[in-house]
Amino acid sequence: MADKTLDDLFYETLKDIYYAERKILKTLPKMARAAQSEKLKAAFLQHKDETEGHIERLQDVFEIIGKRPRAKTCAAIDGIVEEGEEIMDEFKGSPAHDAGLLAAAQAVEHYEISRYGTLRAWAQQLGLTEAVKLLDATLAEESKTDETLTKLAQTAVNSAAQKKAA
Ligand SMILES: [Fe+2]
Ligand SMILES: [Fe+2]
C-alpha cells in the first residue's frame, strides 16, 4: 500500500477511462436518437465511431504496460451520463432539449480531455513513448469534438433553444 508509484496510478487511471469510454460508446447512440438537430445527431454518430477507436487504443496501451484490459467503475462518468439522461427526460420535445443535451455531451468530452491529458503526461514521465502517441491521438479527437460542439451551439442549437415551440 505504501509503495504505490506512478506506474500504479497510470494503470488505475487507464482502467477508469476504459470504463468511461465503454459507457460513452453505449450512450452516444441514445444521444443521437434523442437529438432533434440533424447536425447534432451526425456529430454524435461520428464521435461514436471515433470512440470505438479510443477503446482500441486503450487496449493497445494496456498491452504496452503488459496488462490485460480491465475496467474500473468510474463514478464521475456515471454521474455525468445520468445528468444527461435527466435533461433528455425533462426537456423531451421542448426547444431547449438539444442545448441541454449538447452541454451534457461537452461535460463528457471535458472529462475525457482531463483524463487523457493526465495520462499522456504520466506516460511521458514513465518513458512510454508509444503510449504517448496513442493517448495524444485520442486527446486530439476529444478536443476536436468539443470544438465541433461549441460551434454547433453557437451557430444553431442555442438560438433554437430560445424559440417557443410552434
Ligand atoms: Fe473518447
Ligand atoms: Fe469523447
Side-chain angles (χ1 to χ4, degrees), residues 1 5 71 77 92 111 117 149 158 161 166:
M1 207 55 171
T5 63
I77 201 70
K92 199 175 180 180
Y111 181 74
L149 290 172
N158 287 351

Side-chain angles (χ1 to χ4, degrees), residues 6-79:
L6 194 60
D7 303 81
D8 304 292
L9 207 48
F10 184 77
Y11 177 47
E12 289 307 310
T13 308
L14 210 55
K15 289 191 283 186
D16 171 289
I17 193 68
Y18 191 57
Y19 175 93
E21 289 284 17
R22 297 204 312 178
K23 176 101 180 186
I24 293 161
L25 184 65
K26 276 190 274 175
T27 307
L28 279 166
K30 293 181 204 164
M31 292 167 72
R33 271 198 301 277
Q36 297 162 354
S37 150
E38 287 305 317
K39 281 183 182 165
L40 187 57
K41 224 183 253 292
F44 287 154
L45 289 177
Q46 190 196 325
H47 199 51
K48 182 199 165 267
D49 291 343
E50 288 172 350
T51 298
E52 285 170 10
H54 301 175
I55 290 170
E56 280 166 25
R57 286 195 193 110
L58 287 175
Q59 289 165 346
D60 292 344
V61 176
F62 277 110
E63 202 181 319
I64 288 168
I65 61 168
K67 305 273 192 190
R68 281 189 27 218
R70 268 184 60 192
K72 183 179 74 178
T73 306
C74 164
I77 201 70
D78 281 346

Side-chain angles (χ1 to χ4, degrees), residues 35-134:
Q36 297 162 354
S37 150
E38 287 305 317
K39 281 183 182 165
L40 187 57
K41 224 183 253 292
F44 287 154
L45 289 177
Q46 190 196 325
H47 199 51
K48 182 199 165 267
D49 291 343
E50 288 172 350
T51 298
E52 285 170 10
H54 301 175
I55 290 170
E56 280 166 25
R57 286 195 193 110
L58 287 175
Q59 289 165 346
D60 292 344
V61 176
F62 277 110
E63 202 181 319
I64 288 168
I65 61 168
K67 305 273 192 190
R68 281 189 27 218
R70 268 184 60 192
K72 183 179 74 178
T73 306
C74 164
I77 201 70
D78 281 346
I80 292 171
V81 166
E82 205 177 297
E83 280 188 7
E85 282 165 356
E86 254 173 52
I87 291 167
M88 287 192 265
D89 255 24
E90 288 168 14
F91 284 80
K92 199 175 180 180
S94 51
H97 174 274
D98 277 9
L101 182 58
L102 188 152
Q106 280 194 295
V108 170
E109 293 317 305
H110 291 183
Y111 181 74
E112 291 183 292
I113 289 166
S114 163
R115 283 303 188 216
Y116 281 108
T118 296
L119 282 167
R120 181 184 59 179
W122 287 346
Q124 226 148 23
Q125 183 65 38
L126 292 166
L128 303 168
T129 316
E130 276 311 302
V132 171
K133 280 187 213 159
L134 292 165

